[in-house]
Amino acid sequence: MEDELFDQVLSIFQTVVSWVAAGAMVFGGVVPYIPQYRDIRRTQNAEGFSTYVCLVLLVANILRILFRFGRYFETLLLWQSFIMIATMLTMLNLCTNVRLTTELNTKRRSFIATDCKDEEVRLPKRLFLDFDWSYFWLWSRFVDYVQCVLAFTLVSAYVTYVLLDSALYVETLGFLAVFTEAMLGTPQLYCNYQNKSTEGMSIKMVLMWTSGDTFKTGYFLMTQAPVQFWICGLLQVFVDFAILSQVYYYSRYPQKPVSHTASHTTSAKAL
């Protein structure tokens, strides 16, 4: 009788743990962006957050979704990708709205340039997709980002449909999906090195990224996810710890800071 009761308690405990782990996997990746979202709304200042974070995560998760058509992986990871895409679009919407409000005198940039009657939007008449590459992902309207994401998704989906029977393409697609996400911290790593400082970067959020990436990588290993997932997960943890080591080094050995203006757009985890 006692053995049966113990087995029941153990079974309930395992179920609860599995549900908690599943919830952490699905929603854990977006939690660090909640304080950032609230800070931007409160201060009406988006300068501390680089939209290149959104670009990298959108590309990574779109490719991951397409990868599932060729190589099955857990449904939880699929839901994680959908939620992350929605979160990044929400962040982009907030950032563009804030910047439009605070930068009224700035010349507007567009993904699909067309004639506009608004005198503030000085955009020449151009053909479809005829935009200035020097202002890629620095547009003024949220709809331009949506158009770019849709264009990338449609092209990627078509290529995947055509080459879905190629094992080499499918495995490469999976690797690109997780490798892109794993490299998310490298622009911030380089930016810190360039500035000789971690000023303007939220240490709290980097710690949250590190704990989340560590948990995620362990989850990949335990559930025997495709090899691309856990290899790039380990790489992502390494980059996180490298950023934390910069925090320690530059706080212990402060150096003359370099202007952040020139390097701001190179940061992908600038907070």
Side-chain angles (χ1 to χ4, degrees):
M1 185 69 177
E2 292 181 357
D3 291 340
E4 292 181 1
L5 181 61
F6 176 77
D7 291 339
Q8 290 178 354
V9 172
L10 183 62
S11 176
I12 294 174
F13 177 76
Q14 290 176 338
T15 302
V16 171
V17 170
S18 64
W19 275 100
V20 171
M25 277 302 301
V26 174
F27 298 102
V30 305
V31 169
Y33 297 98
I34 296 176
Q36 184 68 60
Y37 183 89
R38 296 179 63 182
D39 286 345
I40 294 175
R41 288 204 63 175
R42 177 175 54 84
T43 62
Q44 288 296 294
N45 185 357
E47 289 302 314
F49 179 76
S50 173
T51 55
Y52 286 103
V53 175
C54 305
L55 173 62
V56 173
L57 287 175
L58 284 168
V59 170
N61 284 281
I62 289 170
L63 294 181
R64 182 194 288 185
I65 292 172
L66 295 176
F67 176 56
R68 196 173 191 267
F69 288 96
R71 177 82 176 274
Y72 177 83
F73 55 81
E74 279 200 281
T75 306
L76 288 176
L77 300 180
L78 183 65
W79 279 109
Q80 180 193 45
S81 292
F82 281 117
I83 292 174
M84 183 60 76
I85 290 173
T87 302
M88 291 301 101
L89 290 176
T90 302
M91 291 296 296
L92 281 173
N93 185 38
L94 176 64
C95 290
T96 51
N97 288 338
V98 168
R99 287 169 181 167
L100 277 176
T101 303
T102 58
E103 300 175 6
L104 294 178
N105 295 326
T106 302
K107 183 178 179 181
R108 308 296 171 81
R109 303 294 176 182
S110 177
F111 173 64
I112 301 178
T114 57
D115 280 342
C116 182
K117 296 181 180 179
D118 188 349
E119 294 181 358
E120 291 187 63
V121 185
R122 304 181 185 90
L123 294 172
K125 184 176 181 180
R126 299 177 180 176
L127 298 176
F128 181 72
L129 297 183
D130 183 13
F131 60 91
D132 191 342
W133 276 103
S134 61
Y135 292 99
F136 177 77
W137 209 252
L138 297 173
W139 304 307
S140 304
R141 304 177 305 166
F142 174 64
V143 66
D144 295 307
Y145 293 96
V146 174
Q147 289 169 347
C148 182
V149 171
L150 287 176
F152 174 77
T153 302
L154 290 174
V155 172
S156 301
Y158 176 75
V159 174
T160 301
Y161 174 77
V162 172
L163 301 177
L164 194 59
D165 293 333
S166 171
L168 177 61
Y169 171 79
V170 171
E171 295 301 322
T172 302
L173 180 66
F175 175 78
L176 288 176
V178 290
F179 182 76
T180 302
E181 185 175 356
M183 290 291 99
L184 181 63
T186 54
Q188 182 64 53
L189 193 69
Y190 178 72
C191 182
N192 293 341
Y193 172 77
Q194 210 174 31
N195 295 335
K196 306 299 181 185
S197 171
T198 56
E199 180 185 356
M201 184 187 70
S202 172
I203 301 175
K204 178 181 177 181
M205 292 191 69
V206 175
L207 289 172
M208 294 176 69
W209 279 320
T210 305
S211 60
D213 292 338
T214 302
F215 172 81
K216 179 175 65 178
T217 303
Y219 184 86
F220 290 157
L221 291 169
M222 291 178 61
T223 58
Q224 297 181 342
V227 64
Q228 297 98 324
F229 281 68
W230 59 265
I231 288 179
C232 291
L234 290 172
L235 180 59
Q236 196 167 3
V237 172
F238 173 78
V239 173
D240 291 337
F241 275 104
I243 295 175
L244 290 176
S245 68
Q246 288 181 322
V247 174
Y248 171 79
Y249 180 80
Y250 291 129
S251 62
R252 188 176 180 85
Y253 307 102
Q255 303 176 36
K256 184 178 179 180
V258 180
S259 174
H260 293 265
T261 304
S263 59
H264 173 70
T265 57
T266 64
S267 172
K269 271 189 178 178
L271 300 171

